[in-house]
Amino acid sequence: MTPVPPDDGAPAASPAEAAARPLPRRAPAAAVAVAAPAAAVLLVVAVGGRDPHLVAQAVVTGLLLGGVYGLVSLGLTLIFGVLDIVNFAQGALLTLAMFVTYVLVSRAGLPVYLATAVTVPVLFAVGWLVQYTMLNRLMSRGLENQLLLTLGLSLLVENALLLGFGGQPRSVPEPVHGALRVAGAVAPWTRVVAFCGAVVVAALLYGLLRRTRLGAAIRAVAANAEGAALVGVDVRRVYALTFGLGTACVGVAGGLVLPFLTLVPTTGEQFTILAFVIVVLGGLGSVGGALLGGLVIGLVQQVGGLYLAGDGSLLLVFAVFVLVLFVRPQGLFGSRG
Amino acid sequence: MRRTLRRALVVTAVAALAAAGCGGSTSPKAGGSRGGSGSGPITIGSIHPLTGGLAGDGELMDDAVKLAVDDINQAGGIRALGGRTLQVRSADSQGKPEIGQSEAQRLVQSGAVALVGTYQSDVTLNVSAVAERSRVPLVIDVAVADQILAKGYKYTFRIQPDASSMGRTGAQQLAAIAKDKGVPVDRVAYLHESSDFGTSVFTAFRAEAGKQGIGEVTEISYNVANFTDATTQVAQAVAAHPDVIVATGYYADSLLIARTIASVRPAGVRAVMGIANGAFDNDQFPLDARTAGEGYLSTNYHFDATDSEVVAIRDRFRQKYGQPMRTAAVLSYQAVRVIAQALERAGSTDPAKVRDAIAGSTTDRPLLAFAGPIRFDDTGQNTNAVPITMQVLSGQVRQVYPQQFAEAPVRFPAPPRR
């Protein structure tokens, strides 16, 4: 066992405290989430018996990859936390975002990052429509109704893309060439951009939720939809806006990962399972949790991959996931509910 | 807590439902007489992944089966059976073994005299079991795992080389090219995807490498189901200070590796080579990888680009379906030819007789760059199936080794570029 997952040795809010403060400052959890992987990495360097350059590379790659994971998970955690919808279509929507960007790049000749800026509102509109026309009808029904609908949606999107574009792999030329070199490790610029995008989106989302009237309305609906409706919040509109925001995050992700991934109608799928793991690991509905959870998973996968190659790195990811849930069932940043 | 549990249960239930829902229907269409009795078209079943992540190649292969059948029908059908025509029934394996199996059953029940498929080793294993049980021959176009033919089945035939032959020949051709050019190759770093496919090719390569004087082979494996960044793996490969980096994998992961090698810019690496690699000898690869792919070698089964008939077939394919006809699709085309030839020889649509005819026949002038005519041994393996080596030269995939198939001289060393 190399990467030590956050354990309950560090101070965590007691259940009573957490219940008293639905949205507490989670400094202890954040400290654990940052300190534990850092300690694990140091441990690996000290006693792991691997070339320090390799470890440095694995850490850099893990952080960059974790940023991408976090970016994909941000939208999912928002939808999960506010709407209580398990959105199985997140991966398919990521693929859709990549195809929208791809078409803008290859047909309209836009630079890929400019195309991303166009993709985001498109995906927002798609998400808004899905929630407003379909999911809103099911919000009062059981959880499984919404789940089945998103699952059906993912099959629909994937196969519509297959029908329209075929299954041939596609890619766009790299918009920025070369790589940044940090401590002997290589960080390709396209991935650095994606990582920065993740941080910016997380900050924007956090600011939106904390500092704006819309954010207050979203939080109110998340806490108590009926109460929010009673004080004049249009709950259905907030639902649609939230789902739209969630898919807009995927829109950013799609555009930023397109330069380094090969695009087929199933490309988004490989992120779906990990995104769920990250959202639950970080705590349902927690923006910071999704980003940090992504970084933790990226690090575990890459640094762990130095020791357990092939299928082993995924095994480690799930081992850490189970362990964290065991000691902190509400996730790193979740409040007990 | 209770709500969390309920949610987990629902998620699990839906996931199970989804898996079951995709299970495909196996409504046993009591398909009349085998292949139609006496008159009417003879059915050939084609099983490939038409949806899912491998749909791209699956589509091409299914199209190639159709093109081959059209060509044979236009040339007068099966003469020994009074010019009866062929027809294709296509099935979608979705890339899943259990679906492939049920679809194979459906095709057999609807009267197919032979099956062509399936592109994936695990799917092929299941389909070959159905073929054996139903006594309907299966001609494998693409599926590499050795174990498919290790079961002693009588109804399964394979045109392409198996995994161990690919790994072995890869090591031999690498050593031969290096020796020709007087460049020593002592250390190899080998990146491969971690399923049966990559592992078996790698194992065969390592066994042969020792005999060829390649002293050290470093293994780095990755899981293709979750492979969106290759930097750590490539760094591990480079840390072994290899003379040559070898890679075995599918298209997307191999392209990722090529791009990563270009950004890492390893010093001292003399060449990058694919063995049974899904990307490096694909015409799309130089377009996607740009200069990063220049000089890449690839030992793989390949259509014979020096054969004018192959060139003509590929031209027609491109006109008809708007896509380049890749080697996998040429193998599908070839598989239909083998079956048609067996029908001629058997003079019957009885699948058991067709099977005997396939086992006993020799197909001259294969469309693939093989060592000789297609001829099956007792296990059903084409004994003359060998891979050849290609290289990306000025943005084009060219055959370079051995000499009899060479379109251009091999360039070696060919260090990876930025």
Side-chain angles (χ1 to χ4, degrees), chain B residues 67-68 80 113 270 311:
Chain B
L67 182 68
V113 297
R270 296 203 171 90
V311 173

Side-chain angles (χ1 to χ4, degrees), chain A residues 84 168 191 301-302 311, chain B residues 7 194 226 228 231-232 326:
Chain A
D84 225 15
Q168 303 304 323
R191 288 178 190 271
Q301 207 186 359
Q302 292 297 317
D311 307 328
Chain B
R7 179 177 296 169
S194 57
N226 189 257
T228 49
T231 320
T232 308
R326 299 204 191 118

Side-chain angles (χ1 to χ4, degrees), chain A residues 54 57-58 61 65 69 80 84 86 88 143-144 147-148 151 159 162 166-169 171-173 177-179 181 186 188 191 259-262 266 270-271 274 284 301-302 306 309-311 314 329 337, chain B residues 1 3 6-7 10-11 14 17-18 50-53 55-57 59-60 194 221-233 235-236 239 251-252 255-256 259 263-265 284 288 290 323 326 418:
Chain A
L54 264 187
Q57 180 65 59
T61 310
L65 187 60
Y69 289 164
F80 220 179
D84 225 15
V86 180
F88 265 114
L143 180 60
E144 52 278 15
L147 217 138
L148 282 170
L151 187 70
N159 286 293
L162 184 63
Q168 303 304 323
S171 59
V172 299
H177 294 283
R181 290 184 178 254
V186 178
R191 288 178 190 271
F260 52 85
L261 286 188
T262 304
T266 50
Q270 54 186 332
F271 289 97
L274 278 184
L284 302 185
Q301 207 186 359
Q302 292 297 317
L306 289 179
D311 307 328
L314 271 183
Chain B
M1 214 46 223
R3 230 176 62 169
R6 183 171 128 81
R7 179 177 296 169
V10 169
V11 172
V14 170
L17 198 72
L50 303 179
T51 55
D57 281 316
E59 283 163 13
L60 292 185
S194 57
S221 68
Y222 57 87
N223 184 342
V224 78
N226 189 257
F227 191 61
T228 49
D229 195 325
T231 320
T232 308
Q233 284 78 7
Q236 277 176 281
Y251 188 85
L255 176 61
L256 190 61
R259 285 180 165 175
S263 70
V264 170
R265 283 178 288 161
Q284 185 64 33
D288 285 345
R290 314 260 158 151
Q323 295 279 352
R326 299 204 191 118
R418 281 205 54 196

Side-chain angles (χ1 to χ4, degrees), chain A residues 226-326:
Chain A
E226 247 171 68
L230 281 175
V231 297
V233 176
D234 184 347
V235 174
R236 292 164 67 84
R237 185 171 153 267
V238 169
Y239 279 160
L241 282 172
T242 309
F243 204 96
L245 278 176
T247 50
C249 290
V250 185
V252 181
L256 295 186
V257 301
L258 186 61
F260 52 85
L261 286 188
T262 304
L263 180 56
V264 290
T266 50
T267 300
E269 240 179 39
Q270 54 186 332
F271 289 97
T272 307
I273 295 283
L274 278 184
F276 275 111
V277 167
I278 288 160
V279 165
V280 177
L281 185 75
L284 302 185
S286 164
V287 170
L291 193 59
L292 261 179
L295 295 181
V296 168
I297 293 298
L299 275 177
V300 167
Q301 207 186 359
Q302 292 297 317
V303 180
L306 289 179
Y307 298 90
L308 287 177
D311 307 328
S313 61
L314 271 183
L315 196 76
L316 266 180
V317 165
F318 286 105
V320 167
F321 176 58
V322 169
L323 245 149
V324 170
L325 280 193
F326 189 67

Side-chain angles (χ1 to χ4, degrees), chain B residues 23-31 34 47 89 91 97-112 115 126-131 133-134 136:
Chain B
S25 59
T26 45
S27 56
K29 241 186 273 171
R34 183 91 28 226
I47 308 177
R89 265 184 212 273
E98 67 281 5
I99 310 274
Q101 183 171 352
S102 61
E103 286 295 282
Q105 269 154 0
R106 184 174 68 80
L107 291 174
V108 167
Q109 277 162 0
S110 69
L115 303 174
N126 280 16
V127 172
S128 71
V130 172
R133 218 168 31 233
S134 324
V136 171

Side-chain angles (χ1 to χ4, degrees), chain B residues 253-397:
Chain B
D253 44 321
S254 301
L255 176 61
L256 190 61
I257 287 172
R259 285 180 165 175
T260 309
I261 289 175
S263 70
V264 170
R265 283 178 288 161
V269 173
R270 296 203 171 90
V272 181
M273 180 183 204
I275 297 181
N277 188 295
F280 298 168
D281 57 63
N282 183 326
D283 290 332
Q284 185 64 33
F285 174 70
L287 301 175
D288 285 345
R290 314 260 158 151
T291 53
E294 187 62 24
Y296 274 41
L297 293 153
S298 179
T299 301
N300 209 344
Y301 51 78
H302 200 250
F303 59 82
D304 187 354
T306 61
D307 182 336
S308 58
E309 190 192 5
V310 178
V311 173
I313 292 172
R314 293 186 77 233
D315 278 349
R316 275 188 294 124
F317 185 94
R318 176 154 219 157
Q319 276 168 18
K320 195 160 179 180
Y321 301 105
Q323 295 279 352
M325 188 179 189
R326 299 204 191 118
T327 302
V330 176
L331 275 158
S332 304
Y333 189 100
Q334 180 75 69
V336 173
R337 271 204 178 171
V338 166
I339 292 166
Q341 195 188 318
L343 282 165
E344 291 283 5
R345 202 177 138 104
S348 161
T349 57
D350 176 5
K353 291 191 178 132
V354 175
R355 181 258 157 216
D356 291 342
I358 296 174
S361 64
T362 300
T363 308
D364 292 320
R365 279 195 72 193
L367 305 173
L368 290 298
F370 285 161
I374 296 172
R375 190 182 290 137
F376 300 101
D377 66 13
D378 290 344
T379 66
Q381 175 63 43
N382 171 16
T383 51
N384 279 320
V386 288
I388 61 168
T389 299
M390 275 72 60
Q391 187 170 31
V392 180
L393 295 169
S394 312
Q396 299 279 328
V397 175

Side-chain angles (χ1 to χ4, degrees), chain B residues 40-272:
Chain B
I42 304 164
T43 305
I44 292 178
S46 159
I47 308 177
H48 295 97
L50 303 179
T51 55
L54 297 171
D57 281 316
E59 283 163 13
L60 292 185
M61 295 171 80
D62 198 58
D63 288 342
V65 169
K66 288 175 186 154
L67 182 68
V69 162
D70 286 350
D71 286 355
I72 289 162
N73 288 343
Q74 270 181 11
I78 305 296
R79 290 199 188 79
L81 293 168
R84 280 177 69 184
T85 54
L86 301 177
Q87 67 172 3
V88 184
R89 265 184 212 273
S90 299
D92 177 12
S93 71
Q94 300 176 19
K96 298 173 191 160
E98 67 281 5
I99 310 274
Q101 183 171 352
S102 61
E103 286 295 282
Q105 269 154 0
R106 184 174 68 80
L107 291 174
V108 167
Q109 277 162 0
S110 69
V113 297
L115 303 174
V116 177
T118 70
Y119 191 59
Q120 292 157 279
S121 291
D122 49 358
V123 179
T124 308
L125 269 168
N126 280 16
V127 172
S128 71
V130 172
E132 191 71 13
R133 218 168 31 233
S134 324
R135 298 177 180 278
V136 171
L138 162 68
V139 180
I140 298 171
D141 41 21
V142 175
V144 76
D146 291 359
Q147 66 190 97
I148 296 169
L149 295 181
K151 297 191 175 295
Y153 287 169
K154 292 281 168 234
Y155 280 80
T156 305
F157 301 91
R158 169 159 55 197
I159 298 173
Q160 70 151 90
D162 61 15
S164 51
S165 153
M166 301 268 255
R168 193 173 56 240
T169 315
Q172 288 164 353
Q173 297 195 346
L174 171 61
I177 291 169
K179 198 175 157 210
D180 278 0
K181 298 287 178 180
V183 181
V185 172
D186 189 40
R187 292 155 174 266
V188 164
Y190 202 120
L191 292 150
H192 69 85
E193 65 89 38
S194 57
S195 82
D196 215 39
F197 158 48
T199 312
S200 54
V201 175
F202 165 74
T203 310
F205 177 91
R206 183 169 54 188
E208 182 68 21
K211 294 178 201 157
Q212 298 292 336
I214 299 169
E216 201 178 312
V217 181
T218 309
E219 176 186 15
I220 301 122
S221 68
Y222 57 87
N223 184 342
V224 78
N226 189 257
F227 191 61
T228 49
D229 195 325
T231 320
T232 308
Q233 284 78 7
V234 168
Q236 277 176 281
V238 172
H241 301 293
D243 298 312
V244 174
I245 296 176
V246 179
T248 296
Y250 299 100
Y251 188 85
D253 44 321
S254 301
L255 176 61
L256 190 61
I257 287 172
R259 285 180 165 175
T260 309
I261 289 175
S263 70
V264 170
R265 283 178 288 161
V269 173
R270 296 203 171 90
V272 181

